[in-house]
Amino acid sequence: QVQLVESGGGLVQAGGSLRVSCGASGRTASLYATGWFRQAPGKDREFVAQITWSTYKTYYDDSVKGRFTISSDNAKNTVYLQMNGLKPEDTAVYYCAAASRAGSGYDNWGQGTQITVSS
């Protein structure tokens, strides 16, 4: 199985920046992609960004395009999410998740890291 651990969350003022990391361990060789999701209190979990391990292809939700950048360091089995121009509505618990293969969905999840954006 794959284990995922998020780090780098915290408190930031609106307009500020943060970078969160997702470290993967275990059976990482078969991973197809890693994504970032977020969930605010009382709201559904929503997709933020995704990157594929082999081709570095990225995909973003429209709400974060131009502000967030997802990247990976395959040698370190780590995925990053650089968040710029943060808004109060970005406040949520951010989770990383891994997809073992194309079409399988996200079947491995981290514990999450809190990001709070103050106005």
Side-chain angles (χ1 to χ4, degrees):
Q1 191 59 270
V2 174
Q3 293 80 45
L4 303 171
V5 179
E6 302 94 337
S7 62
L11 175 66
V12 64
Q13 292 183 342
S17 299
L18 279 175
R19 188 183 73 164
V20 290
S21 302
C22 175
S25 61
R27 300 179 183 180
T28 60
S30 63
L31 290 179
Y32 167 72
T34 300
W36 285 96
F37 295 77
R38 64 188 182 186
Q39 186 169 23
K43 296 184 178 180
D44 293 332
R45 182 187 65 192
E46 63 178 352
F47 171 79
V48 176
Q50 176 186 286
I51 186 168
T52 58
W53 284 100
S54 62
T55 64
Y56 300 96
K57 183 178 180 180
T58 60
Y59 181 75
Y60 299 91
D61 183 77
D62 287 342
S63 66
V64 303
K65 285 183 178 178
R67 298 190 298 123
F68 291 10
T69 302
I70 189 170
S71 62
S72 64
D73 185 337
N74 290 6
K76 297 181 179 179
N77 289 325
T78 301
V79 172
Y80 306 94
L81 184 68
Q82 177 68 47
M83 299 173 287
N84 299 324
L86 284 163
K87 305 174 181 179
E89 51 263 44
D90 294 319
T91 295
V93 176
Y94 282 68
Y95 300 90
C96 65
S100 298
R101 65 188 70 181
S104 67
Y106 289 95
D107 47 13
N108 293 275
W109 293 84
Q111 294 298 113
T113 185
Q114 176 71 48
I115 295 175
T116 302
V117 184
S118 63
S119 59

